[in-house]
Every structure is written in C-alpha cells, then in structure tokens.
Amino acid sequence: MTALDDRPITTAPVIPQPSRPGMEARTAELLRLRQAVRSGPGAHATEAQHARGKMTVYERMELLFDEGTFVEIEGLRRHRAVGFGLEDRRPHTDGVVIGWGRIHGRTVFAFGHDFRIFGGSLGESHAEKIHKIMDMAEAAGAPLVSLNDGAGARIQEGVSALAGYGGIFRRNVRASGVIPQISVMLGPCAGGATYSPALTDFVFMVRGISQMFITGPDVVEAVTGERVTQEELGGADLHAAVSGAAAFAYDDEASCLEDVRYLISLLPANNRELPPAAEPAVDLGTPDEDLLRLVPADPNQPYDMREVIARLVDDGEVLEVHERWAPNLLCVLARIDGQTVGVVANQPRHLAGVLDIEASQKGASFIQTCDAFNIPLVTLVDVPGFLPGTDQESGGIIRHGAKMLYAYCNATVPRVQVILRKAYGGAYIVMDSRSIGCDLSYAWPTNEIAVMGAEGAVNVIHRRAVAAADDPEAARRELTEEYKEALMHPYYAAERGLVDDVIDPRTTRAVLAEALRVLRTKQEQLVPRKHGNPPM
C-alpha cells in the first residue's frame, strides 16, 4: 500500500470557459429588452394603433399619471399556452401593462390592455397579471384605473380565459365600496368582458373608438335581422345618453384621461379615508345676489339648476356624473369650502324636475357611491312628484323609486337638504327629507311642501263644492288660495320641525359650508347585518 503522502500528484486538464458578459453588458441588454417591450410587436403595430385614432397603452399611462411616476411590473411576463400556434408567439407583457404611479401626488394602481398584442385579448397569464394588480390596489387601499382596449377572451386558450374573467369579476365585487374603481373604455369591449366595467364605480368612454356590447353587430343581424354598426350598438353616445352604462363621454382620449385625473382628485383613496381637501377661493361671507334672480318665485316657471349649483360650489367647478342620462336629475361632484361633496338636485328644465325610473336609478347609484367613499350629500329640491303614466308604472317606477329611497335611508355620511321651491308628495320624502334621516333641512322662502300642488288638492278636496258653485272657476281660485295659505305657506314645515330653518337664498353657500363643517365628524353605525336587501 502507498501512504497518502506518497501518492502521485495529478493535474486536471484545463477546460476553456466561455467569457461571460460583465454587468455593464447585461444592463445594456436589459435596457434594450425594456425598450423592445415598450415598442411592442413593431413600428407597424404602433402605426396601426395610431391609424385607428388610438394611443398605445404606454402613451395612455403617461397621460394618466404624473410625469415620470409610472412603475410597471411583470413587463417581461409571457404566456405558457400551446396549440393553435401560440407556442410560437410569446410576446412580453402578454397584451396587458400593469403597475402604479401618482396622480396629483397620490398613489393609484392601473392596468391597460395593449391592443397591439393579440388584440388585447385576455388569456391565462394576462388575467393573472390583472388579478395581481387588483389585489395590490385593494391591499394598499388605493384607487384602481383600468384602461380597456381588448378583444375579449383569447379563444385559443379556451376555458382558462373565461376563468380569468371570473377572477376579475370576483375582485371587482370584493373591492366595491372599498377602493374607487374607474373603467376607461378606449377600444372594443364585448361579451362577458363588459361586466367588469359594469361592476366598477365610474365608466368613461371616448366617441368613435370605444364600444361596449354583449353581442356584436354580426350576431345581432344573424338573430334578429337588424343591421347596426358597432357605434350604434354600443358607442359612447348610446351608453352616455340612453343606457346609462357610461357616466362620462368625450371626443378624445386626452380630455377623457384629464377628467379621470380630476375625478381622482375629488375621491378618497379608500373607504377609511376622507376625500382630499382644497383651499376655497371665494369668501363665504359675501351674500350672492344672483341667487335671488336665478330661481323664479312662480313654481311653474323653469330655470337651469346647474346655474344654482355653480353659485354654491367653489369656483363654480363641477364634475357632473351621467350628464346626458336622466337629465331631470343632476348628480354632481364638487367642493364647498374646500371639501368634496355630492350634489343631488332636481332639474326643472327637463320634465319639470320630476323623478322617473331612470332618474331614480341614477340618483340611487350616485348616493351609494358617495356614501361608500365618505362624501357628504347636499340635496337641492324642486320636485313636483313622480312622473305619472302607464309606461312608468309598467316599467316598475315603484321598485326603481324605492332604490333611491333605500340609498338615502342607508347613507351614513353628512346629509343636508335645501328646498328651493316645490316639494310635493312622495318625491319630497325621497329627496332626502328629514323623515328619512337627513341631518339638516333648510328651505328658501319660496318653498312649497305639500302632498300635492294646491290646484290638484282643491280638485280632490272640494270637487263637489266647485261643481256646485255659480262660478266654478272663481270658486276654484278662491279655494286654491285658501289651501295655500293654510298648508303651503313657506313656514308651515318649519313650524312643525320638518325644516330646520328658512334661509335667505343669498346666504345658501355659507349656510351649507357651516352645516358641512359641523357634520364633518358625524358618526353613525348601522344595525349589524350581513347586508341589506335593496329593491331590484
């Protein structure tokens, strides 16, 4: 045997090692890859997107966020699907860009479809990216903006794509009332994909480039024989003015995204915070003489309630929600004394300001959104009642009107009512009257609160006396004046504690500011329950 120290020494052969790139080379490679990801499939795809009148997803992110603040994550992700040639087409991002940035200095999360890649269609990896950013937004307690420009489910991936949509819908519902969710429609959105925007708080659309519909024009024609364009079937104007699916409609992407930024500046980050405050620019102590001229004393003479709202809010700046849908009721976000408020107001210029099916739906949704995000409610009342007619009754005015009633009764935010002129019947109750829980109710000296108008009341109460009179018209006029003096004078409700004060119209802005200041720390707890059962 040979001792260990006596063993012969052998030398292993030297194998040449390939030279590895240094850190600088690897970093340069990374930067080139990132630039390639941002460029998408190539210049031709970007040119095609621009030719459609649309920006790329990265251009949209730059407009949405404060300059230089957008941070993308999972930009290098690619799908794992095989079949139908997908294994040979594995672009980075998989057709969706996710990340966060700042809007007016506040953190906001976002995802945006890249139509240049698979038409922005949703596959398994694509969906997982959206799920991730939605989870992050909810966990961080920050708003989520979706920039929608996709062709729906990726057919080649089958049920995996459908399951991806299910995960999005579940997260939309889970985050509802927890963080603001804003959908910006910047391209097509068809089939089941439309339900995600429908589950969010606000939907923005752009004319000419964005459409939403469950079934496309080809299917509609095949089933019904009706020929219709995509714009006619689900364009911005249809959803903004007819269906009510879109809260806002614009002519171009830039103005659309600018208002998205403005909306976010009015909203809190989540349901546990108050909306951000701003410094008011106008002295609240100065009486506004214009308010005496804007509203006619004659309850039957129309006027534009928008002009009144502009005099009451800071700098006259408002963001009107669903401006073209149900125009007989105005729903406006603005600031009073620097604090965000939601204004609900009858609009006498349209249908005399009555409540109907669509106005009730519009009001209920807006009230619930404001209540969810701690935005005080100011209700301006000039309402002759609910719209009568067989169409309204058969269409379900009872249950739809109850939606608005339910929303007000369920709201725990500060609530202030101002009755400008008439407030008749059940519509008076529904417009946040004292009896359903408003905190403070004020009235102008032109207010008329009653079961119905004096003329109608006389026709019911004194029908026989009027018919038997020698001069029925003279008798009706006399009895009408008697009814007004007895039950409809401006201090009748105040005498019974149903109005807290009758105020000088010129001081309305100051009165509202003080009321909202006092109520800012309001605390109200609902009875413990799993959830309510609102009217359907």
Side-chain angles (χ1 to χ4, degrees), residues 22-87:
M23 182 64 74
E24 291 183 0
R26 286 291 178 90
T27 302
E29 179 186 16
L30 171 64
L31 296 177
R32 287 193 297 270
L33 178 57
R34 289 193 183 281
Q35 184 57 46
V37 169
R38 184 180 178 89
S39 299
H44 66 285
T46 299
E47 291 169 2
Q49 180 78 347
H50 289 161
R52 298 183 188 99
K54 300 194 295 184
M55 297 181 184
T56 67
V57 63
Y58 290 103
E59 290 168 342
R60 290 164 176 167
M61 292 294 185
E62 289 174 356
L63 277 181
L64 175 64
F65 291 107
D66 296 348
E67 185 177 357
T69 65
F70 177 63
V71 177
E72 183 182 1
I73 58 173
E74 294 205 11
L76 302 180
R77 186 159 182 173
R78 301 194 291 182
H79 71 74
R80 300 180 297 271
V82 295
F84 305 99
L86 285 178
E87 62 272 18

Side-chain angles (χ1 to χ4, degrees), residues 347-402:
Q347 173 57 297
R349 285 189 63 179
H350 293 275
L351 297 176
V354 298
L355 294 179
D356 60 2
I357 289 173
E358 291 186 343
S360 299
Q361 293 173 324
K362 173 179 175 178
S365 176
F366 182 74
I367 293 162
Q368 289 173 164
T369 300
C370 289
D371 185 51
F373 296 115
N374 306 313
I375 298 173
L377 288 162
V378 173
T379 305
L380 306 180
V381 185
D382 191 349
V383 62
F386 281 93
L387 182 64
T390 56
D391 289 344
Q392 290 291 305
E393 296 294 347
S394 62
I397 185 62
I398 295 173
R399 60 187 174 88
H400 289 298

Side-chain angles (χ1 to χ4, degrees), residues 251-535:
D251 291 327
D252 59 84
E253 294 188 50
S255 58
C256 174
L257 292 172
E258 182 60 34
D259 264 8
V260 172
R261 289 172 53 84
Y262 181 50
L263 171 62
I264 289 174
S265 76
L266 296 169
L267 301 176
N270 56 66
N271 65 334
R272 299 181 302 277
E273 297 183 7
L274 294 176
E279 286 294 326
V282 180
D283 180 11
L284 293 173
T286 304
D288 190 341
E289 299 293 336
D290 287 342
L291 288 174
L292 295 181
R293 297 185 289 270
L294 286 177
V295 180
D298 181 356
N300 297 317
Q301 187 173 344
Y303 62 94
D304 191 349
M305 183 67 83
R306 288 191 182 93
E307 295 182 6
V308 175
I309 295 173
R311 306 302 304 185
L312 300 180
V313 303
D314 294 357
D315 304 317
E317 292 184 357
V318 300
L319 183 63
E320 186 171 344
V321 182
H322 289 294
E323 179 180 353
R324 297 174 58 200
W325 183 56
N328 40 315
L329 187 76
L330 304 180
C331 295
V332 169
L333 288 170
R335 285 191 175 94
I336 294 179
D337 196 25
Q339 305 296 323
T340 300
V341 297
V343 181
V344 181
N346 306 109
Q347 173 57 297
R349 285 189 63 179
H350 293 275
L351 297 176
V354 298
L355 294 179
D356 60 2
I357 289 173
E358 291 186 343
S360 299
Q361 293 173 324
K362 173 179 175 178
S365 176
F366 182 74
I367 293 162
Q368 289 173 164
T369 300
C370 289
D371 185 51
F373 296 115
N374 306 313
I375 298 173
L377 288 162
V378 173
T379 305
L380 306 180
V381 185
D382 191 349
V383 62
F386 281 93
L387 182 64
T390 56
D391 289 344
Q392 290 291 305
E393 296 294 347
S394 62
I397 185 62
I398 295 173
R399 60 187 174 88
H400 289 298
K403 291 178 181 178
M404 189 166 169
L405 179 61
Y406 187 100
Y408 266 129
C409 291
N410 201 49
T412 61
V413 293
R415 292 154 55 188
V416 183
Q417 178 198 50
V418 182
I419 302 169
L420 278 62
R421 293 196 309 187
K422 54 191 176 295
Y424 296 158
Y428 154 67
I429 301 172
V430 171
M431 290 295 292
D432 205 20
S433 63
R434 279 287 300 276
S435 59
I436 67 169
C438 90
D439 299 295
L440 289 168
S441 176
Y442 298 101
W444 285 9
T446 44
N447 81 83
E448 293 183 355
I449 307 173
V451 175
M452 62 178 65
E455 293 80 3
V458 167
N459 290 336
V460 173
I461 300 172
H462 301 294
R463 183 179 68 253
R464 293 180 181 177
V466 170
D470 294 334
D471 187 346
E473 288 303 317
R476 182 179 286 106
R477 285 194 299 270
E478 181 179 350
L479 291 169
T480 297
E481 288 304 315
E482 289 180 2
Y483 183 87
K484 286 182 177 180
E485 292 177 8
L487 297 177
M488 294 178 64
H489 65 79
Y491 309 105
Y492 184 83
E495 291 170 359
R496 284 151 182 80
L498 296 174
V499 166
D500 290 292
D501 197 9
V502 179
I503 63 173
D504 182 340
R506 295 170 295 186
T507 66
T508 305
R509 175 174 158 80
V511 169
L512 287 174
E514 177 63 15
L516 293 168
R517 184 191 66 80
V518 169
L519 294 170
R520 194 167 300 152
T521 54
K522 171 186 174 183
Q523 296 290 328
E524 183 176 333
Q525 297 296 326
L526 297 175
V527 175
R529 58 182 174 180
K530 186 175 182 180
H531 57 74
N533 189 20

